[in-house]
Amino acid sequence: MSEESRNNFKRLSDEDPVGPRDDKEIKGTISFISSVSRVIELYLPGFFQLMISMSGGGKGNENKNDRPNNVSGLAKRDDDHSPSEPPL
Amino acid sequence: MNKQSTNKLSDEEVIRLYLKSRNSTYFSMLYTRYSGKVYSKCISLLKDEQLSDDATQDIFLKIYLNLAKFSGKSKFSTWVYSITYNYCIDYIRKKKKEKNIFSEDIENVGEPLSDVPDHELLEIEVSRLKRVMNVIPPGDKAVLLMKYQDDMSIRDIAEVLSKSESAIKMKIKRAKHKAQTSYKEIYKD
């Protein structure tokens, strides 16, 4: 870097304290960052999905409409009277 | 790849390799290169060692999560410093509840200011400059560091502070003026 571009503001940063950055600390921080980001990446989409479902949107609604035919079929049959049953 | 050859890689190459392999060794390289600088910026704005340690960790977590979004339009260092300044200014505003971030928040903005030539600030002796920087509002300090220490463009600074370029030019002008008047007040003789 030329002397001209190295103004006193840049020299100021030479005097700033630099945090303890040894290998052990770097490894610790990196593993912390990876763990936290893994948690965020794994659970955040699930959390949002849950919130959407709870608010009545998304897959929850789709499931309601996608009920298998036999479910409503059975319910209907329960209400009907079969020929062998006497009417109440 | 051995340690010596990886040390020669540019930041952009390291990022490319990291995104391709997801090997944390590459991210560690970025951390080793920038954590000290990020920490020293944090401590100069937040003025608290423990807070700055936590801030450095939070900032690198942000970098880790957003690395794929780094477009390479600006230098990686500029991107890292942008996140750092943004984090610190936000912290001072929200957590420290300081409203007077810039000198224009305190002083009369209607008053016309004389332009302070760059060389008058850049030639202030380092220990004096350090003292001056510690008495001016944190926002003024941040814009001066962005411009004169990190060589960030007006456009980059405007993006960090979510202001227009003309507003940033005015903030720099005021910050220079504030630094000069503080210098004159401290070193009257």
Side-chain angles (χ1 to χ4, degrees), chain B residues 2 4-5 23-24 37 62 75-76 97 111 116 119 134 140 150 155 163:
Chain B
N2 63 36
Q4 210 173 8
S5 63
N23 181 342
S24 64
K37 287 168 188 165
K62 278 190 176 196
K75 282 199 291 183
F76 179 67
K97 292 181 179 168
E111 190 185 321
V116 178
H119 69 87
N134 279 332
D140 288 3
D150 304 323
R155 184 186 286 186
K163 302 272 179 198

Short mmCIF file of all heavy atoms in Angstrom, two decimals, chain B residues 2 4-5 23-24 37 62 75-76 97 111 116 119 134 140 150 155 163:
data_model
loop_
_atom_site.label_atom_id
_atom_site.label_comp_id
_atom_site.label_asym_id
_atom_site.label_seq_id
_atom_site.Cartn_x
_atom_site.Cartn_y
_atom_site.Cartn_z
N ASN B 2 -2.67 -27.85 0.59
CA ASN B 2 -1.99 -27.60 1.86
C ASN B 2 -2.23 -26.17 2.35
O ASN B 2 -2.75 -25.32 1.63
CB ASN B 2 -0.49 -27.92 1.74
CG ASN B 2 0.22 -27.03 0.75
OD1 ASN B 2 -0.09 -25.85 0.64
ND2 ASN B 2 1.18 -27.59 0.03
N GLN B 4 -0.26 -23.70 3.05
CA GLN B 4 0.44 -22.59 2.40
C GLN B 4 -0.29 -22.15 1.12
O GLN B 4 -0.45 -20.97 0.86
CB GLN B 4 1.86 -23.01 2.07
CG GLN B 4 2.81 -21.83 2.08
CD GLN B 4 4.25 -22.28 1.91
OE1 GLN B 4 4.53 -23.44 1.65
NE2 GLN B 4 5.16 -21.35 2.04
N SER B 5 -0.75 -23.15 0.35
CA SER B 5 -1.40 -22.78 -0.91
C SER B 5 -2.80 -22.21 -0.66
O SER B 5 -3.26 -21.35 -1.39
CB SER B 5 -1.46 -23.98 -1.86
OG SER B 5 -2.24 -24.99 -1.28
N ASN B 23 -17.11 -27.34 3.25
CA ASN B 23 -16.08 -27.75 4.20
C ASN B 23 -15.78 -26.55 5.11
O ASN B 23 -15.37 -25.48 4.64
CB ASN B 23 -14.84 -28.17 3.39
CG ASN B 23 -13.71 -28.64 4.28
OD1 ASN B 23 -13.70 -28.37 5.49
ND2 ASN B 23 -12.77 -29.36 3.70
N SER B 24 -15.96 -26.74 6.41
CA SER B 24 -15.83 -25.60 7.34
C SER B 24 -14.40 -25.04 7.42
O SER B 24 -14.20 -23.93 7.91
CB SER B 24 -16.33 -25.98 8.72
OG SER B 24 -15.54 -26.99 9.25
N LYS B 37 -10.43 -7.88 12.53
CA LYS B 37 -10.84 -6.56 12.03
C LYS B 37 -12.28 -6.26 12.45
O LYS B 37 -12.60 -5.14 12.82
CB LYS B 37 -10.71 -6.51 10.52
CG LYS B 37 -9.26 -6.43 10.07
CD LYS B 37 -9.12 -6.67 8.59
CE LYS B 37 -7.64 -6.78 8.23
NZ LYS B 37 -7.44 -7.35 6.90
N LYS B 62 -24.17 -14.37 10.83
CA LYS B 62 -24.90 -13.74 9.70
C LYS B 62 -24.16 -14.00 8.40
O LYS B 62 -24.77 -14.31 7.38
CB LYS B 62 -25.00 -12.23 9.92
CG LYS B 62 -26.13 -11.83 10.82
CD LYS B 62 -26.31 -10.32 10.78
CE LYS B 62 -27.52 -9.95 11.63
NZ LYS B 62 -28.01 -8.62 11.37
N LYS B 75 -16.16 -5.85 -2.96
CA LYS B 75 -15.14 -6.72 -2.37
C LYS B 75 -15.75 -7.43 -1.17
O LYS B 75 -16.64 -6.88 -0.50
CB LYS B 75 -13.95 -5.88 -1.90
CG LYS B 75 -13.04 -5.46 -3.04
CD LYS B 75 -11.67 -5.07 -2.54
CE LYS B 75 -11.69 -3.78 -1.75
NZ LYS B 75 -10.36 -3.34 -1.31
N PHE B 76 -15.24 -8.61 -0.85
CA PHE B 76 -15.77 -9.35 0.30
C PHE B 76 -15.56 -8.54 1.58
O PHE B 76 -16.44 -8.49 2.45
CB PHE B 76 -15.08 -10.72 0.40
CG PHE B 76 -15.55 -11.53 1.57
CD1 PHE B 76 -16.87 -12.01 1.63
CD2 PHE B 76 -14.71 -11.81 2.64
CE1 PHE B 76 -17.32 -12.75 2.72
CE2 PHE B 76 -15.16 -12.55 3.74
CZ PHE B 76 -16.46 -13.02 3.77
N LYS B 97 -30.36 2.19 23.25
CA LYS B 97 -31.40 3.22 23.18
C LYS B 97 -30.83 4.63 23.02
O LYS B 97 -31.31 5.58 23.62
CB LYS B 97 -32.33 3.12 24.39
CG LYS B 97 -33.15 1.83 24.34
CD LYS B 97 -34.08 1.70 25.48
CE LYS B 97 -34.85 0.38 25.31
NZ LYS B 97 -35.60 0.00 26.48
N GLU B 111 -28.04 25.18 10.04
CA GLU B 111 -26.83 26.00 10.00
C GLU B 111 -25.88 25.55 8.87
O GLU B 111 -25.51 24.37 8.81
CB GLU B 111 -26.13 25.80 11.35
CG GLU B 111 -24.99 26.72 11.65
CD GLU B 111 -24.34 26.29 12.96
OE1 GLU B 111 -25.07 25.90 13.89
OE2 GLU B 111 -23.11 26.33 13.03
N VAL B 116 -14.68 20.87 5.33
CA VAL B 116 -13.35 20.61 5.92
C VAL B 116 -12.52 19.82 4.90
O VAL B 116 -12.93 18.72 4.51
CB VAL B 116 -13.48 19.79 7.23
CG1 VAL B 116 -12.12 19.47 7.81
CG2 VAL B 116 -14.35 20.52 8.24
N HIS B 119 -7.36 16.61 3.85
CA HIS B 119 -6.00 16.52 4.43
C HIS B 119 -5.95 17.02 5.87
O HIS B 119 -5.14 16.55 6.67
CB HIS B 119 -4.99 17.25 3.53
CG HIS B 119 -5.14 18.74 3.53
ND1 HIS B 119 -4.51 19.53 4.46
CD2 HIS B 119 -5.85 19.56 2.72
CE1 HIS B 119 -4.84 20.80 4.21
NE2 HIS B 119 -5.64 20.83 3.16
N ASN B 134 -13.15 9.16 19.67
CA ASN B 134 -13.88 8.65 20.82
C ASN B 134 -14.86 9.64 21.42
O ASN B 134 -15.67 9.25 22.26
CB ASN B 134 -12.90 8.16 21.90
CG ASN B 134 -12.38 6.78 21.58
OD1 ASN B 134 -13.07 6.00 20.92
ND2 ASN B 134 -11.16 6.48 22.00
N ASP B 140 -21.26 9.34 13.37
CA ASP B 140 -20.24 10.16 12.70
C ASP B 140 -18.94 9.36 12.58
O ASP B 140 -18.28 9.35 11.54
CB ASP B 140 -19.95 11.44 13.50
CG ASP B 140 -21.12 12.44 13.41
OD1 ASP B 140 -22.12 12.09 12.79
OD2 ASP B 140 -21.00 13.54 13.97
N ASP B 150 -11.90 2.23 5.46
CA ASP B 150 -12.26 1.06 4.64
C ASP B 150 -12.43 1.40 3.17
O ASP B 150 -12.75 0.50 2.38
CB ASP B 150 -13.56 0.44 5.19
CG ASP B 150 -13.44 0.09 6.65
OD1 ASP B 150 -12.35 -0.35 7.08
OD2 ASP B 150 -14.40 0.30 7.41
N ARG B 155 -21.88 5.07 -2.41
CA ARG B 155 -23.00 4.18 -2.68
C ARG B 155 -23.06 3.04 -1.65
O ARG B 155 -24.13 2.70 -1.14
CB ARG B 155 -22.88 3.60 -4.09
CG ARG B 155 -24.07 2.73 -4.48
CD ARG B 155 -23.88 2.06 -5.78
NE ARG B 155 -24.01 2.99 -6.90
CZ ARG B 155 -23.99 2.62 -8.17
NH1 ARG B 155 -23.80 1.36 -8.49
NH2 ARG B 155 -24.11 3.51 -9.14
N LYS B 163 -29.73 5.06 3.32
CA LYS B 163 -29.97 6.49 3.05
C LYS B 163 -29.62 6.77 1.59
O LYS B 163 -28.94 5.97 0.95
CB LYS B 163 -29.08 7.37 3.95
CG LYS B 163 -29.26 7.14 5.43
CD LYS B 163 -30.35 8.00 6.00
CE LYS B 163 -30.52 7.74 7.48
NZ LYS B 163 -31.76 8.19 8.02
#
